Amino acid sequence: MSVALDKTVFAEVSALIAQRMGLHFPEDRWNDLARGLASAGSELGFRDPVQCLGWLQSGDLSTHQLETLASHLTVGETYFMRDPASFDYLTREILPPLVSARSLTSRSIRMWSAGCCTGEEAYSLAITSTRALAGSGRWNLSVLATDINTKFLSKAVEGVYSSWSFRGTPAWLTEQYFSAIPDKKLALHDSVKKMVDFRYLNLAADVYPSLHNQTNAMDVIFCRNVLMYFTVEHQRRVIEGFYNCLVDGGTLLLNPAEAGASLLPMFHVENTGAVIVCRKSPHKGKPPARWFPETTPPRMSPSPALVFEPVLPAIPAPPVPPPPAPAETVPAPAAITAPAPPVEDPLEQARIFANQGRLAEALAACEVAIAANRTSLPAYLLQATVCDELGQVDEALAAWGRVLYLDQDFILAHHALASIYRRLGRPKESGRHLAVALSLLSARDRGDLVPESGGITCGRLLESVRAMAGG
């Protein structure tokens, strides 16, 4: 199907795509837009260009149609260790002080590949960090990888690549981390695949930071060759979101061509020529002495100094009875005591701690909330999420099990368990929970909000589940 350029029609369509997806197609890129629309129209079943363009102008796009359109409009050009300067900076300047600060505390590092395409960047992050941490003991290293293109995500989860994905890469990469399989393909080792969690996320429309898509408390965010395709308005929104996702001292790495200084006023910015390094400081104007403070909470068990204790009201001493009064004397009225201050909500405090990356304190506060209410589903949900982020897999599985005991149709629990079991290399259990999540989501309207998700719609989560299931 071919699409003839019509300025009026394409101006309207490009504006619609910018609004729904954040993608920017100025007039000099309308040929690219035309080719993408022609390809998408064929897959979506439109018989001719007029019908396809009419559908786009109507604005009546389902989530599935929108993601199909995205798969034809986004660029899938990437390869391992692309832009080596970024990975070199990560190895030399970011990881050493982070390892020094965390070696006696949490021993955890969280990174995000935003706009991960078919997974090469996310896996490169995992491999680079693993090599940099070699010899330093056990670390909980996790990489979140997100994209709007579900076909890209399915390929990324598979972890199988052709020689084109390794152009210009060092020989040790394929020798140490891949195995040859038929059709001249290379399969990534499971030890690396387990470190990366692929999820559907629309940077232009979805909610972040959020505990439920694990975009909170990031140490490092890679977002390269993504923002250049967004409108300026969406670039600002995305960068502000990244800022809020980072812990104090965290780092955002961009390509020099992607964002000017006017979009980064909240960061300390260094342009190395090959990469833009954006540091988050709570006090803009004076860089902190240490980017990653030593106050990061311990990984496995809360330090006594960090255990959350609810503020309980003081119990007033019983009043001292007055001496007997003469018969003709009217007794004085009892003293009126001021009401005790309200007890601080431990569950709300746990959410605050979790959003700040203070995970040990968040976990301790969850335990206080659960002790106060053994049937509090939100408390178990938060406990499960925090345990998973801390790398406490058994505890996370147990907490998600308690969530399902309280509500066997709780969608987020099935989605989370599918993700955990997939990382553990247990496809049978993962598939079972994916099937339940798919069934529950398919029975709901796509615009409905997923319970306790912080604003994620059923349509968005459905696409994530389909991507995890491989299409």
Side-chain angles (χ1 to χ4, degrees):
M1 177 169 52
S2 62
V3 180
L5 291 178
D6 180 287
K7 286 192 175 183
T8 302
V9 172
F10 270 83
E12 293 178 4
V13 170
S14 62
L16 172 65
I17 291 172
Q19 178 185 1
R20 296 291 299 273
M21 301 164 62
L23 299 178
H24 183 41
F25 284 94
E27 188 170 353
D28 60 359
R29 293 192 62 219
W30 281 357
N31 282 315
D32 295 335
L33 178 57
R35 285 191 292 269
L37 291 178
S39 179
S42 297
E43 182 175 342
L44 290 168
F46 293 106
R47 60 180 180 271
D48 55 50
V50 174
Q51 186 184 37
C52 179
L53 290 173
W55 161 71
L56 283 170
Q57 287 176 287
S58 73
D60 186 21
L61 284 69
S62 69
T63 303
H64 174 66
Q65 290 170 326
L66 189 67
E67 310 327 329
T68 300
L69 182 60
S71 71
H72 292 272
L73 295 179
T74 49
V75 179
E77 176 62 21
T78 187
Y79 48 90
F80 282 90
M81 302 298 179
R82 184 180 182 183
D83 299 331
S86 298
F87 295 99
D88 182 58
Y89 193 94
L90 175 70
T91 301
R92 289 185 300 100
E93 304 293 339
I94 297 177
L95 289 176
L98 181 53
V99 168
S100 176
R102 302 271 176 85
S103 60
L104 298 178
T105 54
S106 67
R107 299 186 69 82
S108 65
I109 299 173
R110 289 169 49 77
M111 296 184 287
W112 179 11
S113 170
C116 66
C117 193
T118 46
E120 287 92 333
E121 178 181 87
Y123 288 136
S124 295
L125 279 172
I127 291 170
T128 299
S129 301
T130 298
R131 289 170 63 85
L133 295 174
S136 61
R138 184 173 181 270
W139 283 79
N140 178 28
L141 175 65
S142 62
V143 179
L144 172 68
T146 64
D147 204 278
I148 192 175
N149 189 322
T150 55
K151 291 182 179 179
F152 289 170
L153 291 172
S154 296
K155 177 176 172 56
V157 169
E158 186 182 13
V160 174
Y161 298 94
S162 67
S163 59
W164 187 243
S165 291
F166 302 96
R167 52 195 186 275
T169 59
W172 59 258
L173 180 68
T174 53
E175 292 171 356
Q176 297 180 22
Y177 297 98
F178 290 83
S179 300
I181 60 174
D183 297 328
K184 298 182 179 180
K185 298 287 183 69
L186 291 170
L188 183 66
H189 292 172
D190 287 342
S191 59
V192 179
K193 291 175 67 175
K194 290 178 181 178
M195 298 165 60
V196 184
D197 184 14
F198 290 98
R199 293 174 180 249
Y200 170 87
L201 189 135
N202 184 341
L203 288 172
D206 284 339
V207 177
Y208 54 96
S210 168
L211 281 170
H212 302 297
N213 55 28
Q214 296 190 5
T215 52
N216 65 301
M218 288 291 168
D219 296 306
V220 181
I221 300 176
F222 267 51
C223 183
R224 304 175 309 149
N225 307 302
V226 175
L227 294 178
M228 65 177 67
Y229 298 110
F230 282 10
T231 65
V232 174
E233 177 185 351
H234 282 91
Q235 286 178 348
R236 288 196 178 95
R237 179 189 182 279
V238 170
I239 288 174
E240 288 175 3
F242 287 158
Y243 180 86
N244 292 326
C245 291
L246 287 166
V247 298
D248 289 340
T251 310
L252 166 66
L253 288 98
L254 303 169
N255 273 353
E258 289 191 282
S262 62
L263 293 174
L264 306 167
M266 68 289 286
F267 287 100
H268 292 282
V269 179
E270 176 188 357
N271 189 339
T272 68
V275 60
I276 295 180
V277 181
C278 310
R279 297 276 195 173
K280 177 179 178 178
S281 169
H283 306 293
K284 179 71 167 67
K286 183 179 180 181
R290 183 185 297 274
W291 287 114
F292 300 96
E294 295 284 0
T295 54
T296 306
R299 178 178 181 273
M300 297 303 296
S301 59
S303 163
L306 295 176
V307 173
F308 171 79
E309 297 181 358
V311 180
L312 300 176
I315 301 175
V320 178
E328 68 276 5
T329 304
V330 177
I336 300 175
T337 58
V343 178
E344 188 173 0
D345 180 3
L347 180 56
E348 182 60 29
Q349 190 65 62
R351 290 192 180 102
I352 293 172
F353 285 147
N355 282 321
Q356 293 174 344
R358 299 161 64 182
L359 299 181
E361 292 167 282
L363 188 56
C366 284
E367 293 168 357
V368 173
I370 290 169
N373 182 359
R374 294 290 179 183
T375 61
S376 173
L377 189 147
Y380 286 119
L381 187 157
L382 185 57
Q383 181 189 47
T385 304
V386 171
C387 284
D388 193 19
E389 290 195 24
L390 283 169
Q392 300 178 13
V393 178
D394 291 340
E395 292 85 347
L397 290 173
W400 283 122
R402 288 188 283 270
V403 170
L404 289 180
Y405 177 80
L406 294 171
D407 182 355
Q408 63 180 358
D409 292 334
F410 195 77
I411 297 171
L412 286 179
H414 289 290
H415 181 255
L417 286 168
S419 179
I420 293 173
Y421 282 127
R422 186 186 66 187
R423 296 199 309 267
L424 293 175
R426 295 164 63 177
K428 184 176 180 180
E429 293 95 329
S430 178
R432 183 175 69 249
H433 286 288
L434 279 178
V436 175
L438 182 61
S439 175
L440 293 171
L441 289 165
S442 298
R444 291 173 175 256
D445 186 88
R446 287 178 171 271
D448 289 348
L449 296 181
V450 178
E452 300 291 339
S453 69
I456 301 172
T457 65
C458 290
R460 299 291 185 203
L461 193 59
L462 182 61
E463 296 303 328
S464 176
V465 170
R466 284 176 172 163
M468 289 176 66

